[in-house]
PDB file of all heavy atoms in Angstrom:
ATOM      1  N   SER A  41     193.304-110.122 125.669  1.00  0.00           N
ATOM      2  CA  SER A  41     194.045-109.308 124.689  1.00  0.00           C
ATOM      3  C   SER A  41     194.890-108.171 125.382  1.00  0.00           C
ATOM      4  O   SER A  41     195.593-107.471 124.643  1.00  0.00           O
ATOM      5  CB  SER A  41     193.069-108.657 123.729  1.00  0.00           C
ATOM      6  OG  SER A  41     192.184-107.801 124.435  1.00  0.00           O
ATOM      7  N   GLY A  42     194.759-107.995 126.678  1.00  0.00           N
ATOM      8  CA  GLY A  42     195.443-106.909 127.300  1.00  0.00           C
ATOM      9  C   GLY A  42     194.709-105.561 127.227  1.00  0.00           C
ATOM     10  O   GLY A  42     195.103-104.548 127.803  1.00  0.00           O
ATOM     11  N   PHE A  43     193.642-105.560 126.489  1.00  0.00           N
ATOM     12  CA  PHE A  43     192.772-104.404 126.260  1.00  0.00           C
ATOM     13  C   PHE A  43     192.171-103.893 127.561  1.00  0.00           C
ATOM     14  O   PHE A  43     191.413-104.656 128.188  1.00  0.00           O
ATOM     15  CB  PHE A  43     191.751-104.707 125.230  1.00  0.00           C
ATOM     16  CG  PHE A  43     190.952-103.555 124.660  1.00  0.00           C
ATOM     17  CD1 PHE A  43     191.314-102.951 123.489  1.00  0.00           C
ATOM     18  CD2 PHE A  43     189.901-102.951 125.393  1.00  0.00           C
ATOM     19  CE1 PHE A  43     190.562-101.884 122.929  1.00  0.00           C
ATOM     20  CE2 PHE A  43     189.164-101.887 124.889  1.00  0.00           C
ATOM     21  CZ  PHE A  43     189.547-101.363 123.652  1.00  0.00           C
ATOM     22  N   VAL A  44     192.467-102.702 128.011  1.00  0.00           N
ATOM     23  CA  VAL A  44     191.934-102.154 129.263  1.00  0.00           C
ATOM     24  C   VAL A  44     190.723-101.208 128.891  1.00  0.00           C
ATOM     25  O   VAL A  44     190.933-100.261 128.178  1.00  0.00           O
ATOM     26  CB  VAL A  44     192.984-101.340 130.039  1.00  0.00           C
ATOM     27  CG1 VAL A  44     192.362-100.679 131.266  1.00  0.00           C
ATOM     28  CG2 VAL A  44     194.089-102.318 130.442  1.00  0.00           C
ATOM     29  N   LEU A  45     189.585-101.564 129.451  1.00  0.00           N
ATOM     30  CA  LEU A  45     188.328-100.861 129.102  1.00  0.00           C
ATOM     31  C   LEU A  45     187.793-100.232 130.375  1.00  0.00           C
ATOM     32  O   LEU A  45     187.294-100.923 131.247  1.00  0.00           O
ATOM     33  CB  LEU A  45     187.361-101.855 128.516  1.00  0.00           C
ATOM     34  CG  LEU A  45     186.169-101.323 127.748  1.00  0.00           C
ATOM     35  CD1 LEU A  45     186.685-100.662 126.440  1.00  0.00           C
ATOM     36  CD2 LEU A  45     185.198-102.408 127.408  1.00  0.00           C
ATOM     37  N   GLY A  46     187.892 -98.888 130.454  1.00  0.00           N
ATOM     38  CA  GLY A  46     187.357 -98.188 131.616  1.00  0.00           C
ATOM     39  C   GLY A  46     185.874 -97.867 131.363  1.00  0.00           C
ATOM     40  O   GLY A  46     185.358 -98.048 130.272  1.00  0.00           O
ATOM     41  N   PRO A  47     185.157 -97.536 132.486  1.00  0.00           N
ATOM     42  CA  PRO A  47     183.739 -97.211 132.425  1.00  0.00           C
ATOM     43  C   PRO A  47     183.385 -96.232 131.349  1.00  0.00           C
ATOM     44  O   PRO A  47     182.253 -96.262 130.788  1.00  0.00           O
ATOM     45  CB  PRO A  47     183.388 -96.755 133.790  1.00  0.00           C
ATOM     46  CG  PRO A  47     184.467 -97.374 134.690  1.00  0.00           C
ATOM     47  CD  PRO A  47     185.719 -97.387 133.832  1.00  0.00           C
ATOM     48  N   GLU A  48     184.291 -95.281 131.128  1.00  0.00           N
ATOM     49  CA  GLU A  48     183.994 -94.216 130.127  1.00  0.00           C
ATOM     50  C   GLU A  48     183.986 -94.735 128.714  1.00  0.00           C
ATOM     51  O   GLU A  48     183.559 -94.036 127.801  1.00  0.00           O
ATOM     52  CB  GLU A  48     185.060 -93.127 130.222  1.00  0.00           C
ATOM     53  CG  GLU A  48     186.447 -93.460 129.642  1.00  0.00           C
ATOM     54  CD  GLU A  48     187.272 -94.338 130.521  1.00  0.00           C
ATOM     55  OE1 GLU A  48     186.832 -94.725 131.668  1.00  0.00           O
ATOM     56  OE2 GLU A  48     188.376 -94.750 130.096  1.00  0.00           O
ATOM     57  N   LYS A  49     184.452 -95.992 128.494  1.00  0.00           N
ATOM     58  CA  LYS A  49     184.428 -96.622 127.141  1.00  0.00           C
ATOM     59  C   LYS A  49     183.207 -97.554 126.987  1.00  0.00           C
ATOM     60  O   LYS A  49     183.208 -98.381 126.096  1.00  0.00           O
ATOM     61  CB  LYS A  49     185.699 -97.344 126.932  1.00  0.00           C
ATOM     62  CG  LYS A  49     186.936 -96.486 126.845  1.00  0.00           C
ATOM     63  CD  LYS A  49     186.901 -95.594 125.631  1.00  0.00           C
ATOM     64  CE  LYS A  49     188.132 -94.700 125.555  1.00  0.00           C
ATOM     65  NZ  LYS A  49     189.357 -95.472 125.308  1.00  0.00           N
ATOM     66  N   GLY A  50     182.218 -97.353 127.816  1.00  0.00           N
ATOM     67  CA  GLY A  50     181.032 -98.175 127.706  1.00  0.00           C
ATOM     68  C   GLY A  50     180.381 -98.150 126.282  1.00  0.00           C
ATOM     69  O   GLY A  50     179.920 -99.094 125.812  1.00  0.00           O
ATOM     70  N   TYR A  51     180.400 -96.947 125.716  1.00  0.00           N
ATOM     71  CA  TYR A  51     179.823 -96.711 124.363  1.00  0.00           C
ATOM     72  C   TYR A  51     180.548 -97.653 123.337  1.00  0.00           C
ATOM     73  O   TYR A  51     179.877 -98.163 122.418  1.00  0.00           O
ATOM     74  CB  TYR A  51     179.944 -95.276 123.969  1.00  0.00           C
ATOM     75  CG  TYR A  51     181.423 -94.864 123.580  1.00  0.00           C
ATOM     76  CD1 TYR A  51     181.890 -94.888 122.339  1.00  0.00           C
ATOM     77  CD2 TYR A  51     182.237 -94.368 124.612  1.00  0.00           C
ATOM     78  CE1 TYR A  51     183.150 -94.561 122.031  1.00  0.00           C
ATOM     79  CE2 TYR A  51     183.547 -94.060 124.357  1.00  0.00           C
ATOM     80  CZ  TYR A  51     183.984 -94.099 123.075  1.00  0.00           C
ATOM     81  OH  TYR A  51     185.302 -93.764 122.768  1.00  0.00           O
ATOM     82  N   LEU A  52     181.871 -97.821 123.507  1.00  0.00           N
ATOM     83  CA  LEU A  52     182.626 -98.644 122.587  1.00  0.00           C
ATOM     84  C   LEU A  52     182.202-100.086 122.727  1.00  0.00           C
ATOM     85  O   LEU A  52     182.051-100.819 121.701  1.00  0.00           O
ATOM     86  CB  LEU A  52     184.111 -98.501 122.880  1.00  0.00           C
ATOM     87  CG  LEU A  52     185.098 -99.019 121.874  1.00  0.00           C
ATOM     88  CD1 LEU A  52     184.958 -98.360 120.510  1.00  0.00           C
ATOM     89  CD2 LEU A  52     186.525 -98.910 122.335  1.00  0.00           C
ATOM     90  N   LEU A  53     181.985-100.520 123.981  1.00  0.00           N
ATOM     91  CA  LEU A  53     181.545-101.925 124.202  1.00  0.00           C
ATOM     92  C   LEU A  53     180.195-102.133 123.560  1.00  0.00           C
ATOM     93  O   LEU A  53     179.961-103.073 122.897  1.00  0.00           O
ATOM     94  CB  LEU A  53     181.420-102.130 125.697  1.00  0.00           C
ATOM     95  CG  LEU A  53     181.477-103.561 126.230  1.00  0.00           C
ATOM     96  CD1 LEU A  53     182.891-104.109 126.010  1.00  0.00           C
ATOM     97  CD2 LEU A  53     181.140-103.607 127.694  1.00  0.00           C
ATOM     98  N   GLU A  54     179.309-101.147 123.714  1.00  0.00           N
ATOM     99  CA  GLU A  54     177.971-101.280 123.122  1.00  0.00           C
ATOM    100  C   GLU A  54     177.975-101.338 121.617  1.00  0.00           C
ATOM    101  O   GLU A  54     177.341-102.217 120.985  1.00  0.00           O
ATOM    102  CB  GLU A  54     177.070-100.078 123.582  1.00  0.00           C
ATOM    103  CG  GLU A  54     176.770 -99.998 125.064  1.00  0.00           C
ATOM    104  CD  GLU A  54     175.590-100.899 125.463  1.00  0.00           C
ATOM    105  OE1 GLU A  54     174.968-101.472 124.538  1.00  0.00           O
ATOM    106  OE2 GLU A  54     175.325-100.982 126.716  1.00  0.00           O
ATOM    107  N   SER A  55     178.738-100.456 121.033  1.00  0.00           N
ATOM    108  CA  SER A  55     178.713-100.316 119.524  1.00  0.00           C
ATOM    109  C   SER A  55     179.394-101.496 118.890  1.00  0.00           C
ATOM    110  O   SER A  55     178.974-101.970 117.819  1.00  0.00           O
ATOM    111  CB  SER A  55     179.411 -99.039 119.113  1.00  0.00           C
ATOM    112  OG  SER A  55     180.786 -99.023 119.498  1.00  0.00           O
ATOM    113  N   ARG A  56     180.405-102.121 119.512  1.00  0.00           N
ATOM    114  CA  ARG A  56     181.144-103.169 118.864  1.00  0.00           C
ATOM    115  C   ARG A  56     180.577-104.568 119.231  1.00  0.00           C
ATOM    116  O   ARG A  56     180.749-105.519 118.404  1.00  0.00           O
ATOM    117  CB  ARG A  56     182.633-103.064 119.221  1.00  0.00           C
ATOM    118  CG  ARG A  56     183.222-101.854 118.697  1.00  0.00           C
ATOM    119  CD  ARG A  56     184.749-101.925 118.656  1.00  0.00           C
ATOM    120  NE  ARG A  56     185.327-100.737 118.107  1.00  0.00           N
ATOM    121  CZ  ARG A  56     186.583-100.647 117.714  1.00  0.00           C
ATOM    122  NH1 ARG A  56     187.401-101.636 117.840  1.00  0.00           N
ATOM    123  NH2 ARG A  56     187.052 -99.480 117.203  1.00  0.00           N
ATOM    124  N   LEU A  57     179.995-104.727 120.359  1.00  0.00           N
ATOM    125  CA  LEU A  57     179.509-106.051 120.749  1.00  0.00           C
ATOM    126  C   LEU A  57     178.036-106.285 120.504  1.00  0.00           C
ATOM    127  O   LEU A  57     177.598-107.445 120.430  1.00  0.00           O
ATOM    128  CB  LEU A  57     179.824-106.290 122.253  1.00  0.00           C
ATOM    129  CG  LEU A  57     181.287-106.422 122.612  1.00  0.00           C
ATOM    130  CD1 LEU A  57     181.485-106.874 124.030  1.00  0.00           C
ATOM    131  CD2 LEU A  57     182.087-107.339 121.648  1.00  0.00           C
ATOM    132  N   THR A  58     177.236-105.209 120.266  1.00  0.00           N
ATOM    133  CA  THR A  58     175.827-105.430 120.028  1.00  0.00           C
ATOM    134  C   THR A  58     175.647-106.210 118.722  1.00  0.00           C
ATOM    135  O   THR A  58     174.802-107.150 118.667  1.00  0.00           O
ATOM    136  CB  THR A  58     175.106-104.083 119.911  1.00  0.00           C
ATOM    137  OG1 THR A  58     175.152-103.423 121.212  1.00  0.00           O
ATOM    138  CG2 THR A  58     173.651-104.286 119.473  1.00  0.00           C
ATOM    139  N   PRO A  59     176.420-105.979 117.690  1.00  0.00           N
ATOM    140  CA  PRO A  59     176.297-106.828 116.475  1.00  0.00           C
ATOM    141  C   PRO A  59     176.625-108.280 116.744  1.00  0.00           C
ATOM    142  O   PRO A  59     176.036-109.172 116.117  1.00  0.00           O
ATOM    143  CB  PRO A  59     177.299-106.157 115.464  1.00  0.00           C
ATOM    144  CG  PRO A  59     177.400-104.765 115.883  1.00  0.00           C
ATOM    145  CD  PRO A  59     177.325-104.824 117.401  1.00  0.00           C
ATOM    146  N   VAL A  60     177.593-108.550 117.644  1.00  0.00           N
ATOM    147  CA  VAL A  60     177.940-109.895 117.985  1.00  0.00           C
ATOM    148  C   VAL A  60     176.735-110.601 118.646  1.00  0.00           C
ATOM    149  O   VAL A  60     176.405-111.703 118.332  1.00  0.00           O
ATOM    150  CB  VAL A  60     179.146-109.896 118.979  1.00  0.00           C
ATOM    151  CG1 VAL A  60     179.365-111.356 119.424  1.00  0.00           C
ATOM    152  CG2 VAL A  60     180.385-109.368 118.289  1.00  0.00           C
ATOM    153  N   ALA A  61     176.077-109.858 119.525  1.00  0.00           N
ATOM    154  CA  ALA A  61     174.918-110.391 120.256  1.00  0.00           C
ATOM    155  C   ALA A  61     173.776-110.716 119.228  1.00  0.00           C
ATOM    156  O   ALA A  61     173.162-111.784 119.271  1.00  0.00           O
ATOM    157  CB  ALA A  61     174.383-109.400 121.272  1.00  0.00           C
TER     158      ALA A  61
END
Side-chain angles (χ1 to χ4, degrees):
S41 65
F43 190 99
V44 175
L45 198 67
E48 75 283 357
K49 293 292 180 68
Y51 71 93
L52 193 61
L53 202 69
E54 294 278 356
S55 64
R56 296 199 177 191
L57 293 188
T58 295
V60 175

